Amino acid sequence: MFKTGLIAAAFFATSALGCVGLARAATFDAVGITVGSLGNPYFVTLAKAVGDTIHKTNPNARIISVSSDYDLNKQFTQVDNFIASGVKLIVINAVDPQAVLPAIKRAQAAGIVVIAADVAAAGADATIMTDNTKAGEISCAFLADKIGHKGEVAIENGPSVSSVFDRVAGCKSSLKKWPGIQIVSDDQNGQGARDAGMQVMLGYLIRFPNLAGVFTINDPQAIGSDLAARQQNRKVVITSVDGAPDIVAALKSGKGNILASASQDPYKIGVLAVETAEAIADGKRPSEKTILIPPILVTRDNVGSYVGWTDH
């Protein structure tokens, strides 16, 4: 986030959590973290934040971080392994927001606090995530402005998780305000990854010779899409969600097709996941079960004042 935005987000989070973070009596000696992919810097940062926050109060705590690879059965097995290994806290980035419920119930029956991070998960004790609907809205409002509120736009979709659903819904709510904008595709899955995003974009460039803009559901897909467009010498406005280090570099360079990304703060999500879990373990549940962190749009014009993921 930007320096001013960071203060606002901190106030927002503190207000939502009440006294969380002020009195942290509970500690966890073993924590399990299961995320979509540890090949994604976003999830690496989130997992690091969980470990850093736990180790401040318990330097000897065990931290187990694993990738589900967006495979529900694999995530079920990971949760069962966490239970068997005696963790007291599970931070879960759910593959499926509803289907993950039985695994969460098994963990809670074993006395484990379960916090959903980045995406919703049915039955979790609390959820910490970006306001993904707003992220999609501001990213696509900017895209619409940059293409003059008319032309063909593709929404490059992603894994079937709540954050992606919300980003796409937010994007569509912005684009539908302009009758001159035609959404030519919204069902191609870039898998949250650079290579898959590149392949989807290559398909767009073949099918839609007049493509004016693309919204990708995360930054790795945006980077891949930009590579595809540059290979084909095509000018297409690309916007995204994440505010990742690679996007910061791209925006600062002033080159390529990526013009904006709605920021997330995976480090703050990880910190709040632990602080919320500690409060719950102390019998102090947050007033709101879902805590949303507001996004801020990062562009070429303001990237210089953006406080990125690792600046904590």
Side-chain angles (χ1 to χ4, degrees):
M1 294 188 179
F2 305 98
K3 293 172 184 176
T4 53
L6 187 60
I7 295 170
F11 175 79
F12 176 90
T14 302
S15 299
L17 288 170
C19 59
V20 174
L22 300 179
R24 294 169 55 186
T27 59
F28 299 101
D29 56 11
V31 178
I33 308 166
T34 169
V35 297
S37 171
L38 287 172
N40 184 336
Y42 176 89
F43 291 120
V44 173
T45 302
L46 193 158
K48 181 180 185 300
V50 171
D52 288 350
T53 309
I54 289 290
H55 286 149
K56 284 180 181 178
T57 53
N58 187 352
N60 298 317
R62 290 185 296 122
I63 310 295
I64 309 166
S65 300
V66 294
S67 293
S68 68
D69 299 316
Y70 300 103
D71 182 321
L72 182 62
N73 289 329
K74 187 172 184 178
Q75 192 161 65
F76 276 171
T77 300
Q78 290 168 346
V79 171
D80 288 338
N81 288 341
F82 290 156
I83 296 169
S85 67
V87 306
K88 299 303 180 185
L89 166 63
I90 293 176
V91 177
I92 186 167
N93 172 248
V95 170
D96 184 300
Q98 296 299 322
V100 76
L101 179 60
I104 289 176
K105 285 186 173 180
R106 289 196 297 274
Q108 291 167 331
I112 299 169
V113 178
V114 180
I115 304 295
D118 183 62
V119 298
D125 292 290
T127 299
I128 318 293
M129 63 183 180
T130 303
D131 186 340
N132 286 292
T133 301
K134 177 60 69 175
E137 287 176 356
I138 62 177
S139 188
C140 287
F142 182 87
L143 187 157
D145 288 345
K146 287 300 179 181
I147 64 172
H149 308 127
K150 61 183 179 180
E152 296 181 349
V153 172
I155 296 176
E156 191 176 297
N157 223 305
S160 298
V161 295
S162 67
S163 60
V164 172
F165 300 150
D166 291 346
R167 290 172 198 177
V168 170
C171 176
K172 288 181 176 179
S173 73
S174 286
L175 296 182
K176 74 179 182 181
K177 297 175 183 177
W178 305 101
I181 292 178
Q182 178 188 3
I183 299 175
V184 294
S185 174
D186 66 357
D187 61 355
Q188 296 299 298
N189 184 357
Q191 301 174 25
R194 179 180 304 200
D195 289 348
M198 184 175 182
Q199 292 305 311
V200 170
M201 185 65 166
L202 287 171
Y204 288 158
L205 297 174
I206 294 169
R207 293 166 57 198
F208 309 116
N210 299 314
L211 188 65
V214 175
F215 168 70
T216 68
I217 56 86
N218 74 357
D219 284 352
Q221 289 183 204
I223 295 292
S225 296
D226 182 48
L227 288 171
R230 293 169 77 171
Q231 283 184 6
Q232 300 299 314
N233 293 314
R234 293 278 293 276
K235 292 293 184 182
V236 181
V237 173
I238 299 173
T239 67
S240 183
V241 175
D242 270 346
D246 283 350
I247 287 292
V248 170
L251 292 173
K252 286 183 175 179
S253 76
K255 300 177 181 178
N257 298 279
I258 300 170
L259 299 187
S261 179
S263 71
Q264 298 201 86
D265 193 337
Y267 200 93
K268 179 169 285 295
I269 289 174
V271 170
L272 291 179
V274 174
E275 292 182 348
T276 304
E278 290 173 335
I280 290 170
D282 281 337
K284 303 169 186 174
R285 291 186 175 270
S287 57
E288 297 292 337
K289 199 169 183 179
T290 298
I291 299 165
L292 297 178
I293 299 175
I296 298 174
L297 192 69
V298 188
T299 69
R300 288 178 178 176
D301 291 335
N302 61 21
V303 67
S305 61
Y306 172 59
V307 177
W309 292 357
T310 58
D311 295 333
H312 292 271

